[in-house]
Amino acid sequence: MTRTAIDPGFVAEQNAPLLPNLEADYAHLGAQLARRGVDIEMIAQRVAGFRVAIPSWGVGTGGTRFARFPSPAEPRDVFEKIEDCAVVHQLARSTPTISLHIPWDKPKDIGELSRFAEDFGLGFDAMNSNTFEDQPGQPHSYKFGSLTHTDRAVRRQAIEHNMECIEIGKALGSRALTVWIGDGGNFPGQQHFRRALDRYLDSLREIVRALPPGWRLFLEHKLYEPALYSTVLNEWGVSYWCASQLGPRVQCLVDLGHHAPNLNIEMVVARLIQFGKLGGFHFNDSKYGDDDLDSGSIKPLQLFLIFQELVDAELSGVPDFDPAYMLDQSHNVTDPIESLMSSAAEVARAYAQASLVDRAALERHQEENDPLMALRILKEAFQTDVSPILAMARHRARGAIDPVRAFRASDYRARKAKERPPAARKGAGIV
Ligand code: RM4
Ligand code: MN
Ligand code: MN
């Protein structure tokens, strides 16, 4: 029996009054889609199979470099984070895996952690290494870089940390390592651009050699921050070039907040698919930079256009197409559980909308150079309110028709506040 954080009977009770309207809305949407030649059950099935991983750091309250305002009942360790992830999955039904960040989530006993997650029916997604801050007692500092540091001893320490992440991940059943580094420069002249990238590749080569069979390694680029003038792995082209140098098991990871403003991200996605190097995503939304806001909250059209590329690759059978999907958000002013449940639904929404695109008609309009009609095809899919499909998929999987409403009614936070007195940590910081 899978352990649940909220009584399943309570979820069913919450659903009961909402069900008649949901059924009516679902039937109505089904009739509308049938007129367009789309079987609503086919879309519902696709949505039911859609999965996105939760970052362990997403269940804590985020913050800016100015302040952090922790909410009550924040998880204090990896076990409590897993409990919160279990709530997200129980109500939203599309997030069965967690992505750990080491050493934040380093367990004393890996077996215990693995069993704890399994009891809740949860597994582990990609592992994340952390060489962007120093840990107490660490021999060498990452102040001036990690995998690309000028000092071989610092690079060695960072390489070994990544190997340790792989070892922990192996024991937990993870199949990938995501490497994001904060290395770069704050001032012109501080760093020799070419030599730093050479050192990056040398370090990565060693980590790749330590990958167990069946594992992939994702390179996560970022335009700036924490380095404010230059970043070693600054954009997708550099990431692509490095991934090509490092062999077939290394792919690029696209975090939606890590690009220059106005970049056409859906096109980057299409290019990486074409080059066989799209490894995965960190979903979030932003207005100015790496804002880590909730997915789909600001640019839902962009999210849809990205999924239009992903679904197109899937349905046209691009070989070895298997991107790993994860949320990567910082919940500064919302309840993290509520944000994660809503964001998982927004990502699934974009997937469902993209699944509605009339691909044959789109191709015809492209061949005939009819931009107005081509756009109309995309807009028709994007403007379809697929909410009843998402809600029905959750209901059928014993999740909540309205996850936020059910969560608020459950009193989970108030219960946990008693068990989890506020942690001592009060400082600023992004996670
Ligand atoms: C970075 C990046 C990484 C995440 C850290 C916490 O900006 O997005 O994926 O591990 O933040
Ligand atoms: Mn990220
Ligand atoms: Mn980020």
Side-chain angles (χ1 to χ4, degrees), residues 267-327:
M267 229 183 132
V268 170
V269 170
R271 294 287 187 250
L272 288 173
I273 292 170
Q274 189 158 15
F275 305 158
K277 284 293 186 192
L278 183 72
F281 280 89
H282 283 179
F283 293 113
N284 51 54
D285 214 341
S286 59
K287 181 75 181 162
Y288 300 106
D290 189 25
D291 305 341
D292 283 315
L293 297 172
D294 291 11
S295 299
S297 59
I298 298 195
K299 292 177 279 194
L301 178 63
Q302 174 183 270
L303 191 60
F304 162 76
L305 293 172
I306 289 169
F307 269 97
Q308 147 66 6
E309 296 305 323
L310 295 169
V311 169
D312 185 72
E314 177 201 333
L315 298 181
S316 56
V318 169
D320 301 322
F321 175 73
D322 184 22
Y325 297 145
M326 194 187 96
L327 301 169

Side-chain angles (χ1 to χ4, degrees), residues 74 95 102 136 153 196 229-230 264 312 350 353 376 388 427:
E74 273 208 290
T95 58
I102 305 296
Y229 165 68
S230 66
N264 186 335
D312 185 72
Q353 289 165 325
R376 207 164 107 155

Side-chain angles (χ1 to χ4, degrees), residues 57 101 104 128-130 132 178-180 220-222 224-226 253 255 258 282 284 290 292 326 328 430-431:
W57 58 103
H101 222 305
W104 296 335
N128 298 268
S129 57
N130 177 345
F132 47 84
T178 299
V179 181
W180 173 71
E220 182 178 2
H221 66 274
K222 182 168 176 174
Y224 84 107
E225 203 197 20
L253 184 138
D255 182 311
H258 290 193
H282 283 179
N284 51 54
D290 189 25
D292 283 315
M326 194 187 96
D328 184 6
I430 70 153
V431 281

